[in-house]
Amino acid sequence: MSTQVPETETDAETETESKPHQERRLAEKEARREAADRERAAREELAAAESTVHLKVFRYDPEVEGKQEPRFDDFHVPFEKGMTVLDALMFARDHYDSSLTFRHSCRQAICGSDAMFVNGSQRLCCKTQLGELQEPVRVEPLPHQDVVKDLVVDMQHFYDQMESVEPYFQSEDLPEGELEEQRQSRENREKIKMSTRCIWCGACMSSCNIAAGDNEYLGPAAINKAYRFYMDEREEEDLEEHRMRILEQEHGVWRCQTQFSCTEVCPKDIPLTEHIQELKREAVKSNLKFW
Amino acid sequence: MHEHDVIVVGGGGAGLRAAIAASEEGADTAIVSKLHPVRSHTGAAEGGINAALREGDSWEMHAYDTMKGSDYLGDAPAIETLAKDAPEEVINLEHWGMPFSREDDGRVSQRPFGGLSFPRTTYAGAETGHHLLHTMYQQAVKHGIQVYDEWFVSELAVTDHEDPSDRQCHGVVAYDVKTGEVEGFKANRGVILATGGPGQVFEHTTNAVANTGDGYAMAYRAGVPLEDMEFVQFHPTTLPSTGVLISEGVRGEGGILYNAEGERFMFEHGYANNEGELASRDVVSRAELTEVNEGRGIDDEYVHLDMRHLGEERILDRLENILHLAEDFEGVDGLVEPMPVKPGQHYEMGGIETDENGETCIEGLYAAGECACVSVHGSNRLGGNALPELIVFGKRAGHHAAGKDMKEAEITTGYSEDAEPGEVDTPVEPGAVPTTSDDVAADGSGGALADPTAVVEEAVETEQERVERLLEKDEGLQHAAIREDLQDSMTQNVNVFRNEDGLKQALRDIREARERYQDVYVDDPSRTFNTDLIHTIETRNLIDLAEAITLGALARDEFRGAHWRQEYQERRDDEWLKHTLLRWNDGDPELFYKPVILEGENKTYEPKVRSY
């Protein structure tokens, strides 16, 4: 092994200084070898795999020369039954290109951070089985949102819309007595149950034509959030009116054209369009009451 | 430089509760989180929150169960605080609108959970954590708490007095993931670490990919001891392919575990003749692995969890989320087939040493939630006790940091009078490696300066240099390879079953990871959303944590709670009713012990043989 060590300075005067350099160079050499080994191992894994999946992944980086022009990169990853789109992206990132960028965290469909546009539809990558998709699998960032880099979009507008509906419980009418909860009927909890499942992934907003054309439209997620509070029997009636005013504004519920695209893509199966229609009916009823 | 009274690092359950509490005390409060708060891992908690709410139950019973569950390694002042404060906190969540499951009379539902003498686990379907997280985030929005989302806190700004107990924390350094800027956050009153668990130390875990133990590692390097890190909880029911958690609620509702021969092994093989499937998590995890190791596993890997007999209506009412998880991640319909399950890393009982007020030995530095060790869970956490911990101790830390007058803590912190030095025989030198770039492994504490702003500025400069170096280096090793090897070794050697040879092997592998890390570099040169850089910084934290877990496990030559040692099959109360602590001594971990506090408010907890 020692014969592989490259010649280095032997000058005694510089020895103390050169030693770290020498170590560093050796380490770098070792590192290069390790990187090559790793890539070879990945290729072997690929070759040994019974089948592989072909991904076409959207790439863009505003900052790095050569990546500023949006493009698609091809990745071939070994496939095993049960593998998800997220698994494939992670494999590609960890073995082929560490700059491949996407959000993900819980990989169990609850953090909502890995919603992307997969084969032309908004989906959570972690719960989308690769085996059910046609190849090549196209992975793109969510449409109608600014792309920050690769598959990462700017979520700020989505968050702003969510927060514009005052998404917090506001009941002041708390029960008296220590440790007394507000009673809620099972029926009422059942009524709001689906609406409380939203994980803020943004798939619905991205799929909505109206939201794409009208930046001020509250959008399905925010309206669903408002529904969750409007329908909760624990909030008082005057709050209901206050919430209805937010929902009824020019860019509120009436913009929805019942295209159902939000409902179709929702990874938590929330009947978004239905909730919006229900609120429209409530709006009509409450207007009648005002007269 | 940003400036606030209280800076909370992490936007999950503990972080949000701390921020709300600090804000209610009038402190200008900010949350700095590497994710958006609603993406936090608290959202993945399923089962529920323990709190003695009903007649027939009492905080004393909750405290007793917790002490017993902890295998007598929890501190009584912490456990009693948890049990006493939990009911008010759970009702408080209800008042904030949390959609708990309901009884016919409209009150919140409770259900049985492992190790509990009363069905005191309050829940919202099998998605309790999701609702808790969102309910608290809603309140944070209502309070107007400033959130810096997608800012990765990578170092603390702490003075560098020689004795950690003299040090003071003045803020944090964070990296703006979106733009690549490194900036200082000055905290005028306190910094609260609420960064969650370190599950990514292991390969098969229920934890999110973001759970890399950043808070533990930062506090450790700043001089705060890590306590009882060897106690890693393995959850008995995770899906084999991904580690996705199948809630204990399934067994709470009556789910049954079967081996390949169709035997209800918890009873038939005598693992827990009284409690069966509802024995403590460590007991069930070992039982499952024993079944697999003795050839009665399915596909030599897992066992079956069956809930079909509960009936569709009950499953849909209380466990609907479990059906979706089994379907999406394992392709199994829980209504018609049993679900495959095996143990997976789930929770770190140990953590940053704090007292009941969340304070560490460094003034102005607090920790709460999973990253903290108060300690309430001792050597084994009961299901349903993580969520009350978040809210109870998150709130206390928030109040204390904001300057509220709190009762003085009974638990001591740091290397105090009751500490006893320890030693452990290791096969390699753990800890620091000789390096030319000292910032990679060295102590992260700030300068010797007294001026808080200067301390933060100096810490920012150090971090900027570190980031520059990682980005500018053109070749070397990538973090992914180091991380993968580290996770493999931990999973092989420091898992449910442990022995001396394995633990020593793990220490050798960790040492190798540490040395390889000297040559790590970031291939992606971009300043925009550079996840390669983030993961590289996280990997360093994982190495420190893996070492703390393994050293603790090697030192503790007994069998207690989740810590099983092949050579030592008994709990040794004569020697081991004490906490393991590790502190950073210029990078070399220094081991010491502190006695467990078994003296409660009105009673002293007597260690008893644990039987289920």
Side-chain angles (χ1 to χ4, degrees), chain B residues 460-522:
Chain B
V460 170
E461 237 170 77
T462 312
E463 277 304 277
Q464 272 166 344
E465 275 170 32
R466 170 155 77 133
V467 167
E468 287 305 323
R469 190 164 313 149
L470 286 170
L471 288 177
E472 278 170 13
K473 200 165 178 315
D474 286 330
E475 54 184 18
L477 287 175
Q478 290 188 356
H479 72 87
I482 303 174
R483 188 186 283 212
E484 204 175 290
D485 291 346
L486 184 79
Q487 290 173 335
D488 279 352
S489 178
M490 291 299 285
T491 303
Q492 266 186 40
N493 300 309
V494 199
N495 218 301
V496 176
F497 293 130
R498 299 166 173 184
N499 62 43
E500 188 174 321
D501 288 348
L503 294 171
K504 289 191 166 168
Q505 183 55 45
L507 280 177
R508 281 189 283 270
D509 295 339
I510 293 163
R511 175 74 194 185
E512 195 187 327
R514 199 179 281 291
E515 279 169 9
R516 284 162 77 200
Y517 192 81
Q518 299 304 304
D519 288 297
V520 82
Y521 87 117
V522 175

Side-chain angles (χ1 to χ4, degrees), chain A residues 1-10 18-19 21-27 29-30 32-33:
Chain A
M1 187 186 108
S2 59
T3 57
Q4 300 296 313
V5 177
E7 294 274 316
T8 49
E9 303 97 310
T10 48
S18 69
K19 200 150 180 279
H21 287 289
Q22 186 186 339
E23 278 176 9
R24 189 136 297 273
R25 276 179 25 206
L26 280 173
K29 194 174 165 208
E30 175 72 16
R32 273 198 300 276
R33 201 177 61 214

